[in-house]
């Protein structure tokens, strides 16, 4: 998969294709002097993560192929040969606990995606690592929304 369109906005920045998304974004943020935690940094990071997800999994939540790719990635075994079966897979996705930033990275780097046994383990990991996908962005996307979890 090619790099997302996000980086094309910055012609002087050449992203490494197989490097972690967060590493590449942080490198860009440093080059652009975006201070971590600033409004600009958070806004650009949200745009970047959504762009990366869309580049890897598509943007059309009504396309069977996009749901199939997501189910394969998170190892949901439900049959997805039709849109109806795919809708059933959405219920199966509700039982999947993966970090959304790691999901994007697994596509970029080829690194195996870690599944967590439950929401508490996922929440602990997410907070400890700071790999937090912007909730407002995830709520807008059908694929991301299926994997969005409340972090306590």
């Amino acid at each position: 998969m090619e790099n997302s369109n996000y980086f094309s906005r910055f012609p002087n920045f050449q992203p490494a294709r197989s490097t972690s998304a967060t590493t590449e974004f942080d490198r860009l943020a440093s080059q652009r002097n975006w201070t971590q935690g600033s409004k600009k940094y958070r806004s650009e990071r949200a745009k970047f993560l959504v762009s990366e997800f869309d580049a890897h999994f598509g943007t059309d939540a009504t396309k069977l192929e996009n749901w199939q790719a997501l189910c394969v990635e998170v190892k949901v075994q439900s049959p997805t040969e039709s849109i109806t079966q795919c809708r059933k897979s959405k219920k199966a996705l509700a039982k999947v606990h993966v970090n959304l930033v790691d999901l994007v990275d697994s596509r970029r780097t080829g690194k195996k995606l870690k599944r967590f046994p439950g929401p508490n383990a996922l929440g602990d990991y997410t907070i400890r690592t700071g790999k937090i996908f912007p909730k407002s962005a995830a709520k807008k996307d059908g694929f991301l929304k299926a994997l969005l979890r409340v972090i306590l």
Side-chain angles (χ1 to χ4, degrees):
M1 177 65 60
E2 292 195 23
N3 287 316
S4 71
N5 289 333
Y6 178 84
F7 289 125
S8 67
R9 295 175 37 214
F10 309 97
N12 294 331
F13 183 79
Q14 294 300 317
R17 292 183 185 274
S18 61
T19 302
S20 151
T22 51
T23 299
E24 286 304 282
F25 178 78
D26 286 343
R27 196 166 63 85
L28 173 65
S30 176
Q31 184 186 75
R32 306 293 294 184
N33 294 316
W34 298 334
T35 305
Q36 190 169 4
S38 69
K39 186 175 180 179
K40 179 69 172 176
Y41 179 94
R42 289 190 317 268
S43 171
E44 290 297 329
R45 185 176 180 275
K47 290 176 194 172
F48 167 71
L49 287 170
V50 169
S51 177
E52 280 289 302
F53 187 90
D54 290 350
H56 293 295
F57 295 101
T59 58
D60 188 347
T62 64
K63 289 185 96 176
L64 177 60
E65 309 85 58
N66 294 344
W67 283 103
Q68 288 171 326
L70 181 60
C71 286
V72 166
E73 192 79 26
V74 299
K75 299 192 178 13
V76 168
Q77 301 301 323
S78 298
T80 55
E81 299 302 320
S82 71
I83 293 290
T84 302
Q85 289 174 335
C86 195
R87 286 190 185 117
K88 291 178 185 172
S89 291
K90 287 183 198 178
K91 291 179 184 174
L93 287 172
K95 298 175 186 169
V96 172
H97 305 287
V98 296
N99 180 277
L100 296 176
V101 176
D102 284 350
L103 178 61
V104 168
D105 276 348
S106 72
R107 275 290 176 99
R108 285 181 62 92
T109 65
K111 185 178 175 184
K112 184 179 177 185
L113 179 64
K114 178 177 173 89
R115 282 183 61 163
F116 294 88
N120 292 338
L122 172 61
D124 291 345
Y125 170 83
T126 300
I127 291 168
R128 187 179 74 253
T129 61
K131 293 181 178 182
I132 300 169
F133 202 98
K135 181 170 73 172
S136 59
K139 281 186 168 184
K140 293 177 187 177
D141 185 291
F143 300 116
L144 290 170
K145 193 173 182 180
L147 292 169
L148 187 62
R149 301 292 174 265
V150 175
I151 303 295
L152 301 174

